[in-house]
Amino acid sequence: MSAVPLPPLPPAPAPEEGYRPGGRSVAEIVDREHRQLLTLVDQLTGPDATPTEALAVLTAALSRHISAEEQYLLPAVRAALPAEAGRVDAEIEGDAALLSALKGLNDETVTEVAERVRRHVDGVGALVTELRAVATSEELIRLGNRLEIAEEAAPTRPHPGTPATPPWNRIVEPAVGVVDKVMDAVTRRPTYLKDLPEPPRD
């Protein structure tokens, strides 16, 4: 299995037999987040009224998730699987449409957003499966570490007009994220699944 040309990562120790970096695989992280997002949109498109805080949390969770994927996961797929560059471009276009739909998220538009989330999960999930086939477990863990760091610094509101590819998204997104987090603090807006009365299970 050849090494995958991942985006810039922190230096790794000299490999030793049995060495495994700390952290979770990017595939494990993305799969878990996708399951949580699907559970949440299923809840929001059910027969009961949609709580306002749940719409806010869905918006924040998706904004962070998409930002981190576009900063690290999708560039890694493009580098490791150059023949799939067109699919990566299609996912980025789909993400932009999803972020635009999120800007006007309400009870009437949640069904459209839910369908776009399902398409995102299917498309990105398939790319992750193919990445796992060509990357080592160490590479996937190190990429997962970068993804989690990027998510914590990512915006909590949709900004479809910001750059969607490196290097600019890695510069712009954290800066926009700071502004979003200040606004969240001022307005006491819920932004995490754990903020919900009944958060989706893993």
Side-chain angles (χ1 to χ4, degrees):
M1 186 178 292
S2 59
V4 173
L6 296 175
L9 298 170
E16 299 176 3
E17 187 172 350
Y19 167 75
R20 180 181 173 88
R24 295 184 297 156
S25 161
V26 68
E28 177 187 343
I29 295 167
V30 171
D31 287 349
R32 176 175 179 263
E33 291 183 359
H34 281 175
R35 289 195 305 271
Q36 291 175 327
L37 289 169
L38 288 175
T39 299
L40 183 54
V41 297
D42 284 347
Q43 291 174 352
L44 296 182
T45 53
D48 298 329
T50 303
T52 302
E53 63 267 21
L55 294 176
V57 168
L58 176 63
T59 299
L62 274 170
S63 297
R64 282 193 302 265
H65 176 80
I66 289 172
S67 175
E69 283 187 344
E70 290 184 346
Q71 287 183 59
Y72 287 97
L73 174 62
L74 294 182
V77 172
R78 190 191 299 276
L81 303 163
E84 306 306 331
R87 289 168 62 194
V88 172
D89 291 339
E91 290 305 324
I92 292 173
E93 289 178 13
D95 288 347
L98 175 51
L99 290 173
S100 294
L102 274 178
K103 287 182 72 70
L105 181 61
N106 54 44
D107 288 343
E108 286 71 40
T109 61
V110 70
T111 300
E112 175 197 349
V113 168
E115 183 54 38
R116 291 187 182 278
V117 170
R118 294 184 185 105
R119 289 203 293 267
H120 168 90
V121 168
D122 288 343
V124 174
L127 290 174
V128 169
T129 297
E130 294 178 38
L131 179 64
R132 291 177 72 172
V134 298
T136 66
S137 59
E138 290 80 9
E139 288 169 330
L140 294 173
I141 290 171
R142 296 182 72 214
L143 185 58
N145 290 339
R146 295 307 300 166
L147 191 84
E148 290 188 312
I149 292 169
E151 253 190 25
E152 282 307 307
T156 59
R157 288 172 168 77
H159 301 280
T162 58
T165 54
W168 292 110
N169 61 347
R170 294 180 192 160
I171 298 170
V172 173
E173 296 279 280
V176 174
V178 170
V179 177
D180 283 355
K181 289 176 177 62
V182 170
M183 293 176 63
D184 293 339
V186 170
T187 60
R188 299 192 178 189
R189 172 178 177 252
T191 61
Y192 286 95
L193 297 176
K194 65 184 180 183
D195 295 332
L196 295 173
E198 295 184 13
R201 295 183 178 180
D202 296 351

